[in-house]
Amino acid sequence: HCWHWPVSQTLQTLQCYRRAQRRRDCPTMGFFEDLTRPGSYFHLVKGGARLHPLETLLLMTAPLALLSGSTRSLCLANAALQVAWFLPIVQLPALLTERLSYVDIGWPWGLVLLAVICMVQGDGYFYRRLLGCGCLLLHGGRMALGATVLFFPYKFKEDLPRYQYAKVRFIKQDGMPPTLWWLKIQHDTLQQCFANCAPLAAPFLLLASNTTPTLATLEIVGACLWLCSWGLESLADVQMLLFRKSLAKDQCTTAVIGRAPFNTSRFFLWTLCRHPNYFFEWMCWNSFVLMAMPSLWALDGSPLVKLGLGLTLFYTSRMFYDCLLYWTGAEPAEYFSAQKRAEYRKHQEEVRVFFPVEVPWVDHCRVAGWPAQQELK
Protein backbone atom coordinates (compact mmCIF):
# COMPACT_ATOMS: atom_id res chain seq x y z
CA HIS A 1 0.00 0.00 0.00
CA CYS A 2 2.94 2.35 -0.57
CA TRP A 3 0.81 4.43 -2.98
CA HIS A 4 -2.05 5.02 -0.54
CA TRP A 5 -0.42 7.67 1.67
CA PRO A 6 0.64 10.14 -1.08
CA VAL A 7 -2.70 9.76 -2.87
CA SER A 8 -4.72 10.44 0.28
CA GLN A 9 -2.49 13.38 1.18
CA THR A 10 -2.90 14.83 -2.32
CA LEU A 11 -6.70 14.55 -2.07
CA GLN A 12 -6.68 16.27 1.31
CA THR A 13 -4.48 19.05 -0.09
CA LEU A 14 -6.87 19.56 -3.02
CA GLN A 15 -9.85 19.69 -0.68
CA CYS A 16 -8.12 22.28 1.49
CA TYR A 17 -7.25 24.33 -1.60
CA ARG A 18 -10.83 24.25 -2.89
CA ARG A 19 -12.17 25.17 0.55
CA ALA A 20 -9.80 28.13 0.76
CA GLN A 21 -10.77 29.21 -2.77
CA ARG A 22 -14.46 29.09 -1.88
CA ARG A 23 -13.82 31.22 1.18
CA ARG A 24 -12.04 33.83 -0.91
CA ASP A 25 -14.86 33.88 -3.44
CA CYS A 26 -17.63 33.89 -0.81
CA PRO A 27 -16.60 34.80 2.76
CA THR A 28 -20.12 34.02 4.02
CA MET A 29 -19.76 30.42 2.88
CA GLY A 30 -16.54 30.12 4.85
CA PHE A 31 -18.32 31.43 7.93
CA PHE A 32 -21.05 28.78 7.70
CA GLU A 33 -18.49 26.05 7.03
CA ASP A 34 -16.66 27.04 10.22
CA LEU A 35 -19.95 27.20 12.11
CA THR A 36 -20.97 23.67 11.14
CA ARG A 37 -17.55 21.99 11.22
CA PRO A 38 -17.05 18.97 13.52
CA GLY A 39 -16.42 20.12 17.06
CA SER A 40 -18.24 23.46 16.66
CA TYR A 41 -20.43 24.39 19.61
CA PHE A 42 -23.14 25.26 17.12
CA HIS A 43 -24.03 21.55 17.20
CA LEU A 44 -25.30 22.09 20.75
CA VAL A 45 -27.97 24.52 19.58
CA LYS A 46 -28.69 23.70 15.93
CA GLY A 47 -32.26 22.97 14.91
CA GLY A 48 -33.13 19.51 13.65
CA ALA A 49 -30.58 17.38 11.83
CA ARG A 50 -29.87 18.99 8.44
CA LEU A 51 -31.30 22.49 8.67
CA HIS A 52 -28.99 25.25 7.48
CA PRO A 53 -27.86 27.65 10.26
CA LEU A 54 -29.97 30.40 8.67
CA GLU A 55 -32.96 28.07 8.83
CA THR A 56 -32.31 27.49 12.52
CA LEU A 57 -32.30 31.26 13.01
CA LEU A 58 -35.60 31.68 11.12
CA LEU A 59 -37.14 28.73 12.94
CA MET A 60 -36.40 30.38 16.29
CA THR A 61 -37.31 33.97 15.39
CA ALA A 62 -40.22 33.84 12.91
CA PRO A 63 -42.67 32.54 15.58
CA LEU A 64 -42.23 35.80 17.50
CA ALA A 65 -45.00 37.01 15.20
CA LEU A 66 -47.37 34.86 17.28
CA LEU A 67 -46.91 37.36 20.10
CA SER A 68 -48.64 40.06 18.06
CA GLY A 69 -52.36 40.62 17.75
CA SER A 70 -55.09 38.05 18.35
CA THR A 71 -52.80 35.03 18.88
CA ARG A 72 -50.74 36.61 21.68
CA SER A 73 -52.67 35.60 24.80
CA LEU A 74 -53.39 32.08 23.55
CA CYS A 75 -49.75 31.64 22.51
CA LEU A 76 -48.49 32.66 25.95
CA ALA A 77 -51.02 30.44 27.73
CA ASN A 78 -50.04 27.43 25.61
CA ALA A 79 -46.31 28.10 26.08
CA ALA A 80 -46.73 28.24 29.87
CA LEU A 81 -48.71 24.98 29.81
CA GLN A 82 -46.16 23.20 27.61
CA VAL A 83 -43.21 24.26 29.78
CA ALA A 84 -45.07 23.24 32.95
CA TRP A 85 -45.71 19.82 31.37
CA PHE A 86 -42.28 19.21 29.85
CA LEU A 87 -40.20 20.14 32.90
CA PRO A 88 -41.36 17.29 35.21
CA ILE A 89 -42.32 14.74 32.52
CA VAL A 90 -39.39 15.10 30.12
CA GLN A 91 -36.62 17.48 31.21
CA LEU A 92 -36.06 16.24 34.77
CA PRO A 93 -36.17 12.48 33.98
CA ALA A 94 -33.90 13.05 30.97
CA LEU A 95 -31.44 14.98 33.13
CA LEU A 96 -31.35 12.32 35.84
CA THR A 97 -31.14 9.27 33.54
CA GLU A 98 -29.54 10.69 30.35
CA ARG A 99 -32.38 9.15 28.33
CA LEU A 100 -33.97 11.07 25.48
CA SER A 101 -36.82 8.57 25.24
CA TYR A 102 -39.00 10.44 27.74
CA VAL A 103 -39.75 12.95 25.00
CA ASP A 104 -41.82 10.26 23.24
CA ILE A 105 -44.22 10.46 26.19
CA GLY A 106 -44.15 14.22 26.72
CA TRP A 107 -44.45 15.35 23.11
CA PRO A 108 -47.75 13.68 22.07
CA TRP A 109 -49.44 14.53 25.36
CA GLY A 110 -48.28 18.09 24.75
CA LEU A 111 -50.24 18.01 21.49
CA VAL A 112 -53.31 16.91 23.42
CA LEU A 113 -52.84 19.86 25.79
CA LEU A 114 -52.47 22.17 22.78
CA ALA A 115 -55.77 20.93 21.33
CA VAL A 116 -57.59 21.38 24.63
CA ILE A 117 -56.30 24.88 25.38
CA CYS A 118 -57.04 26.12 21.84
CA MET A 119 -60.56 24.71 22.04
CA VAL A 120 -61.30 26.04 25.52
CA GLN A 121 -59.53 29.41 25.50
CA GLY A 122 -59.67 30.34 21.81
CA ASP A 123 -62.20 33.02 20.95
CA GLY A 124 -62.51 32.15 17.26
CA TYR A 125 -65.50 30.68 15.42
CA PHE A 126 -66.70 27.63 17.39
CA TYR A 127 -66.97 25.19 14.48
CA ARG A 128 -63.51 26.16 13.20
CA ARG A 129 -62.04 25.44 16.63
CA LEU A 130 -64.00 22.19 16.82
CA LEU A 131 -62.74 21.08 13.41
CA GLY A 132 -59.06 21.96 13.91
CA CYS A 133 -58.75 21.02 17.58
CA GLY A 134 -60.77 17.85 17.07
CA CYS A 135 -58.35 16.68 14.39
CA LEU A 136 -55.36 17.47 16.60
CA LEU A 137 -56.94 15.76 19.61
CA LEU A 138 -57.39 12.55 17.62
CA HIS A 139 -53.94 12.89 16.08
CA GLY A 140 -52.04 13.52 19.30
CA GLY A 141 -54.30 11.34 21.43
CA ARG A 142 -53.60 8.20 19.40
CA MET A 143 -49.84 8.66 19.77
CA ALA A 144 -50.14 9.66 23.44
CA LEU A 145 -52.19 6.62 24.42
CA GLY A 146 -49.89 4.34 22.44
CA ALA A 147 -46.78 5.75 24.14
CA THR A 148 -48.42 5.56 27.58
CA VAL A 149 -49.18 1.87 27.15
CA LEU A 150 -45.99 0.93 25.28
CA PHE A 151 -43.47 2.56 27.61
CA PHE A 152 -45.05 1.65 30.97
CA PRO A 153 -43.56 1.70 33.69
CA TYR A 154 -41.48 4.50 32.06
CA LYS A 155 -38.05 3.22 33.07
CA PHE A 156 -35.68 2.99 30.12
CA LYS A 157 -32.70 0.65 30.66
CA GLU A 158 -31.32 2.10 27.45
CA ASP A 159 -32.48 4.74 25.02
CA LEU A 160 -34.68 3.89 22.06
CA PRO A 161 -32.56 3.09 18.96
CA ARG A 162 -33.27 6.47 17.31
CA TYR A 163 -31.85 8.25 20.34
CA GLN A 164 -28.88 5.90 20.53
CA TYR A 165 -28.22 6.99 16.96
CA ALA A 166 -28.54 10.64 17.99
CA LYS A 167 -25.68 10.10 20.43
CA VAL A 168 -23.58 8.36 17.76
CA ARG A 169 -24.17 11.26 15.38
CA PHE A 170 -23.42 13.87 18.05
CA ILE A 171 -20.07 12.30 18.95
CA LYS A 172 -18.78 10.77 15.72
CA GLN A 173 -20.25 12.98 13.00
CA ASP A 174 -20.61 16.31 14.81
CA GLY A 175 -17.28 15.72 16.57
CA MET A 176 -18.56 16.72 20.01
CA PRO A 177 -17.16 15.38 23.32
CA PRO A 178 -19.25 12.71 25.09
CA THR A 179 -19.15 14.80 28.27
CA LEU A 180 -21.55 17.28 26.63
CA TRP A 181 -24.14 14.67 25.67
CA TRP A 182 -26.25 15.43 28.75
CA LEU A 183 -26.47 19.05 27.62
CA LYS A 184 -27.45 18.06 24.08
CA ILE A 185 -30.22 15.90 25.55
CA GLN A 186 -31.62 18.94 27.32
CA HIS A 187 -31.44 20.99 24.13
CA ASP A 188 -33.16 18.37 21.97
CA THR A 189 -35.99 17.80 24.46
CA LEU A 190 -36.46 21.55 24.93
CA GLN A 191 -36.54 21.84 21.14
CA GLN A 192 -39.53 19.50 21.14
CA CYS A 193 -41.14 21.67 23.80
CA PHE A 194 -40.45 24.74 21.67
CA ALA A 195 -42.07 22.99 18.70
CA ASN A 196 -45.25 22.50 20.72
CA CYS A 197 -45.12 26.17 21.72
CA ALA A 198 -44.50 27.70 18.30
CA PRO A 199 -44.15 25.99 14.87
CA LEU A 200 -46.49 23.07 15.60
CA ALA A 201 -48.85 25.27 17.59
CA ALA A 202 -49.04 28.02 14.95
CA PRO A 203 -51.76 26.44 12.74
CA PHE A 204 -54.05 25.90 15.73
CA LEU A 205 -53.39 29.27 17.34
CA LEU A 206 -54.42 30.88 14.06
CA LEU A 207 -57.49 28.67 13.66
CA ALA A 208 -58.59 29.23 17.26
CA SER A 209 -58.27 33.02 16.90
CA ASN A 210 -60.11 33.44 13.59
CA THR A 211 -63.59 34.86 14.23
CA THR A 212 -64.82 34.62 10.61
CA PRO A 213 -68.26 33.01 11.07
CA THR A 214 -67.99 30.54 8.16
CA LEU A 215 -65.62 27.74 7.24
CA ALA A 216 -63.49 28.30 4.16
CA THR A 217 -63.29 25.69 1.42
CA LEU A 218 -59.56 25.29 2.04
CA GLU A 219 -60.21 24.45 5.71
CA ILE A 220 -62.59 21.66 4.71
CA VAL A 221 -60.16 20.39 2.06
CA GLY A 222 -57.37 20.42 4.64
CA ALA A 223 -59.50 18.48 7.12
CA CYS A 224 -60.34 15.87 4.47
CA LEU A 225 -56.66 15.56 3.53
CA TRP A 226 -55.79 15.13 7.20
CA LEU A 227 -58.40 12.39 7.60
CA CYS A 228 -57.03 10.48 4.60
CA SER A 229 -53.41 10.91 5.76
CA TRP A 230 -54.22 9.95 9.35
CA GLY A 231 -56.09 6.87 8.17
CA LEU A 232 -53.21 5.77 5.93
CA GLU A 233 -50.65 6.40 8.69
CA SER A 234 -52.73 4.25 11.04
CA LEU A 235 -53.02 1.56 8.34
CA ALA A 236 -49.23 1.58 7.90
CA ASP A 237 -48.84 1.07 11.65
CA VAL A 238 -51.32 -1.82 11.57
CA GLN A 239 -49.44 -3.43 8.69
CA MET A 240 -46.21 -3.13 10.68
CA LEU A 241 -47.86 -4.77 13.71
CA LEU A 242 -49.02 -7.66 11.50
CA PHE A 243 -45.48 -8.01 10.14
CA ARG A 244 -43.97 -8.14 13.61
CA LYS A 245 -46.56 -10.65 14.72
CA SER A 246 -45.61 -12.89 11.78
CA LEU A 247 -41.92 -12.55 12.64
CA ALA A 248 -42.54 -13.57 16.24
CA LYS A 249 -44.63 -16.55 15.13
CA ASP A 250 -42.02 -17.79 12.64
CA GLN A 251 -39.05 -16.77 14.84
CA CYS A 252 -37.54 -14.94 11.89
CA THR A 253 -35.20 -11.96 12.35
CA THR A 254 -33.97 -11.29 8.81
CA ALA A 255 -37.21 -10.63 6.89
CA VAL A 256 -38.02 -7.12 5.63
CA ILE A 257 -41.50 -5.67 5.35
CA GLY A 258 -42.10 -4.70 1.73
CA ARG A 259 -40.04 -7.62 0.40
CA ALA A 260 -41.17 -11.18 -0.34
CA PRO A 261 -43.01 -12.80 1.28
CA PHE A 262 -44.16 -9.58 3.04
CA ASN A 263 -44.90 -7.64 -0.15
CA THR A 264 -48.50 -8.76 -0.65
CA SER A 265 -51.60 -6.57 -0.50
CA ARG A 266 -51.59 -6.88 3.29
CA PHE A 267 -48.39 -4.81 3.35
CA PHE A 268 -48.87 -2.73 0.17
CA LEU A 269 -47.99 0.63 1.76
CA TRP A 270 -44.54 -0.66 2.69
CA THR A 271 -43.84 -1.67 -0.91
CA LEU A 272 -44.26 1.95 -2.04
CA CYS A 273 -41.61 3.41 0.26
CA ARG A 274 -39.53 2.30 3.22
CA HIS A 275 -41.34 4.53 5.75
CA PRO A 276 -44.97 5.18 4.74
CA ASN A 277 -45.92 5.92 8.35
CA TYR A 278 -43.48 8.85 8.43
CA PHE A 279 -44.66 10.16 5.06
CA PHE A 280 -48.31 10.22 6.09
CA GLU A 281 -47.45 11.77 9.46
CA TRP A 282 -45.77 14.58 7.50
CA MET A 283 -48.84 14.87 5.29
CA CYS A 284 -51.04 15.23 8.38
CA TRP A 285 -49.07 18.32 9.39
CA ASN A 286 -49.17 19.67 5.84
CA SER A 287 -52.94 19.32 6.14
CA PHE A 288 -52.96 21.37 9.34
CA VAL A 289 -50.93 24.08 7.59
CA LEU A 290 -53.42 24.06 4.73
CA MET A 291 -56.30 24.44 7.18
CA ALA A 292 -54.58 27.46 8.78
CA MET A 293 -53.99 29.39 5.55
CA PRO A 294 -57.43 31.10 5.44
CA SER A 295 -56.92 32.25 9.05
CA LEU A 296 -53.56 33.75 8.07
CA TRP A 297 -55.16 35.61 5.14
CA ALA A 298 -57.97 36.87 7.38
CA LEU A 299 -55.60 38.08 10.09
CA ASP A 300 -55.71 41.80 10.79
CA GLY A 301 -51.99 42.44 11.14
CA SER A 302 -49.05 44.21 9.56
CA PRO A 303 -47.29 42.70 6.52
CA LEU A 304 -44.27 41.95 8.73
CA VAL A 305 -46.40 39.96 11.19
CA LYS A 306 -48.04 38.04 8.34
CA LEU A 307 -44.61 37.30 6.87
CA GLY A 308 -43.43 35.93 10.21
CA LEU A 309 -46.53 33.76 10.57
CA GLY A 310 -46.19 32.58 6.98
CA LEU A 311 -42.59 31.54 7.61
CA THR A 312 -43.66 29.80 10.81
CA LEU A 313 -46.25 27.75 8.91
CA PHE A 314 -43.63 26.92 6.27
CA TYR A 315 -41.30 25.64 9.01
CA THR A 316 -44.10 23.56 10.48
CA SER A 317 -43.77 21.46 7.34
CA ARG A 318 -40.03 21.96 6.78
CA MET A 319 -39.07 21.04 10.34
CA PHE A 320 -41.25 17.94 10.31
CA TYR A 321 -39.74 16.81 7.01
CA ASP A 322 -36.24 17.15 8.48
CA CYS A 323 -37.33 15.42 11.67
CA LEU A 324 -39.08 12.45 10.07
CA LEU A 325 -36.46 11.85 7.40
CA TYR A 326 -33.19 12.69 9.17
CA TRP A 327 -33.48 13.66 12.82
CA THR A 328 -35.56 11.01 14.64
CA GLY A 329 -37.20 9.10 11.78
CA ALA A 330 -35.92 7.23 8.75
CA GLU A 331 -32.18 7.87 9.07
CA PRO A 332 -31.84 6.60 12.67
CA ALA A 333 -34.04 3.58 11.94
CA GLU A 334 -32.06 2.57 8.86
CA TYR A 335 -28.67 3.06 10.47
CA PHE A 336 -29.23 -0.03 12.62
CA SER A 337 -31.36 -2.00 10.14
CA ALA A 338 -28.70 -1.73 7.43
CA GLN A 339 -26.06 -2.95 9.85
CA LYS A 340 -28.02 -5.98 11.03
CA ARG A 341 -29.74 -7.25 7.86
CA ALA A 342 -28.19 -7.76 4.45
CA GLU A 343 -31.68 -8.13 2.97
CA TYR A 344 -32.51 -4.62 4.15
CA ARG A 345 -29.54 -3.22 2.24
CA LYS A 346 -30.97 -4.78 -0.93
CA HIS A 347 -34.32 -3.23 -0.06
CA GLN A 348 -32.66 0.18 0.21
CA GLU A 349 -31.37 -0.06 -3.35
CA GLU A 350 -34.82 -0.74 -4.80
CA VAL A 351 -37.38 1.25 -2.78
CA ARG A 352 -37.76 4.98 -2.07
CA VAL A 353 -37.03 6.04 1.49
CA PHE A 354 -39.84 8.54 2.15
CA PHE A 355 -42.12 9.42 -0.76
CA PRO A 356 -44.50 6.68 -1.98
CA VAL A 357 -44.30 8.06 -5.52
CA GLU A 358 -41.39 9.21 -7.65
CA VAL A 359 -40.71 12.91 -7.08
CA PRO A 360 -38.26 14.65 -9.44
CA TRP A 361 -35.20 16.43 -8.05
CA VAL A 362 -35.50 14.56 -4.76
CA ASP A 363 -32.87 12.17 -3.44
CA HIS A 364 -34.79 8.99 -2.64
CA CYS A 365 -31.73 7.50 -0.92
CA ARG A 366 -31.67 4.26 -2.91
CA VAL A 367 -28.24 3.45 -1.53
CA ALA A 368 -27.29 0.23 0.24
CA GLY A 369 -26.17 1.03 3.76
CA TRP A 370 -27.79 4.49 3.88
CA PRO A 371 -27.08 6.62 5.83
CA ALA A 372 -23.39 6.61 4.89
CA GLN A 373 -22.14 4.68 7.87
CA GLN A 374 -18.49 5.23 7.10
CA GLU A 375 -18.99 8.81 8.32
CA LEU A 376 -20.11 7.55 11.70
CA LYS A 377 -17.53 4.83 12.33
Side-chain angles (χ1 to χ4, degrees):
H1 303 292
C2 59
W3 54 270
H4 183 270
W5 183 85
V7 170
S8 62
Q9 288 295 101
T10 301
L11 289 175
Q12 290 177 9
T13 302
L14 285 172
Q15 289 172 355
C16 290
Y17 172 76
R18 289 170 181 168
R19 191 178 298 116
Q21 190 175 38
R22 286 199 304 270
R23 290 182 179 180
R24 285 195 302 270
D25 295 340
C26 183
T28 304
M29 183 181 294
F31 169 76
F32 287 125
E33 284 186 352
D34 287 339
L35 192 63
T36 57
R37 74 183 191 281
S40 168
Y41 285 104
F42 172 75
H43 294 294
L44 285 173
V45 297
K46 72 177 181 179
R50 300 196 185 185
L51 296 181
H52 190 275
L54 284 178
E55 291 189 285
T56 297
L57 180 62
L58 286 173
L59 177 64
M60 298 300 175
T61 55
L64 291 173
L66 291 168
L67 298 177
S68 300
S70 59
T71 58
R72 176 182 173 83
S73 60
L74 192 55
C75 177
L76 291 174
N78 173 62
L81 186 61
Q82 296 293 336
V83 171
W85 170 253
F86 264 74
L87 284 177
I89 302 300
V90 181
Q91 303 306 135
L92 185 59
L95 179 64
L96 296 176
T97 65
E98 289 197 9
R99 298 287 185 269
L100 260 167
S101 302
Y102 289 98
V103 78
D104 280 21
I105 301 170
W107 176 68
W109 280 111
L111 296 181
V112 172
L113 293 176
L114 172 62
V116 171
I117 197 170
C118 286
M119 185 66 205
V120 173
Q121 292 198 8
D123 56 6
Y125 181 50
F126 174 78
Y127 290 106
R128 179 175 291 106
R129 284 184 286 137
L130 184 63
L131 180 65
C133 298
C135 290
L136 181 62
L137 187 63
L138 287 173
H139 189 89
R142 183 183 77 95
M143 293 187 290
L145 290 174
T148 302
V149 172
L150 180 63
F151 297 133
F152 182 83
Y154 320 123
K155 294 180 179 179
F156 298 96
K157 294 182 179 179
E158 60 180 9
D159 248 330
L160 297 174
R162 57 178 166 269
Y163 300 126
Q164 294 178 33
Y165 174 79
K167 185 175 183 179
V168 170
R169 179 169 53 199
F170 180 70
I171 295 171
K172 295 188 176 181
Q173 180 173 297
D174 296 343
M176 301 300 290
T179 53
L180 292 179
W181 174 237
W182 70 272
L183 190 58
K184 182 61 174 174
I185 288 176
Q186 290 299 302
H187 168 264
D188 280 8
T189 48
L190 281 173
Q191 194 171 188
Q192 294 276 15
C193 179
F194 170 76
N196 281 12
C197 295
L200 301 188
F204 305 98
L205 297 177
L206 286 168
L207 285 166
S209 303
N210 184 1
T211 58
T212 304
T214 55
L215 291 175
T217 302
L218 199 56
E219 291 172 323
I220 298 172
V221 170
C224 293
L225 180 60
W226 170 81
L227 185 61
C228 292
S229 300
W230 187 64
L232 288 169
E233 180 189 2
S234 301
L235 179 59
D237 289 340
V238 169
Q239 291 179 353
M240 176 57 77
L241 288 175
L242 292 174
F243 168 71
R244 289 175 176 171
K245 185 177 179 180
S246 297
L247 290 188
K249 180 180 178 181
D250 299 337
Q251 295 184 343
C252 177
T253 59
T254 59
V256 176
I257 187 171
R259 292 184 69 82
F262 298 102
N263 59 349
T264 61
S265 58
R266 294 183 69 195
F267 310 101
F268 75 96
L269 288 175
W270 295 85
T271 65
L272 302 176
C273 63
R274 306 199 296 264
H275 302 279
N277 52 338
Y278 293 151
F279 171 78
F280 289 114
E281 171 72 10
W282 181 59
M283 287 302 300
C284 284
W285 286 93
N286 288 334
S287 305
F288 292 145
V289 170
L290 197 64
M291 292 172 67
M293 293 306 296
S295 297
L296 174 61
W297 297 332
L299 188 70
D300 185 17
S302 69
L304 185 61
V305 169
K306 288 190 174 184
L307 175 62
L309 292 173
L311 284 171
T312 302
L313 290 179
F314 169 76
Y315 276 103
T316 302
S317 176
R318 173 73 178 96
M319 184 189 71
F320 239 105
Y321 178 79
D322 179 80
C323 176
L324 292 171
L325 185 54
Y326 301 117
W327 190 18
T328 63
E331 183 175 315
E334 299 205 3
Y335 174 72
F336 293 106
S337 294
Q339 285 183 330
K340 295 175 182 178
R341 293 179 288 173
E343 190 68 15
Y344 195 84
R345 292 193 289 274
K346 296 179 183 177
H347 188 55
Q348 287 178 307
E349 293 180 314
E350 300 170 4
V351 181
R352 293 172 292 267
V353 63
F354 188 76
F355 290 95
V357 295
E358 200 68 25
V359 179
W361 306 299
V362 170
D363 181 7
H364 293 287
C365 303
R366 290 192 185 93
V367 179
W370 183 85
Q373 296 170 8
Q374 62 270 19
E375 297 179 5
L376 297 175
K377 290 183 179 180

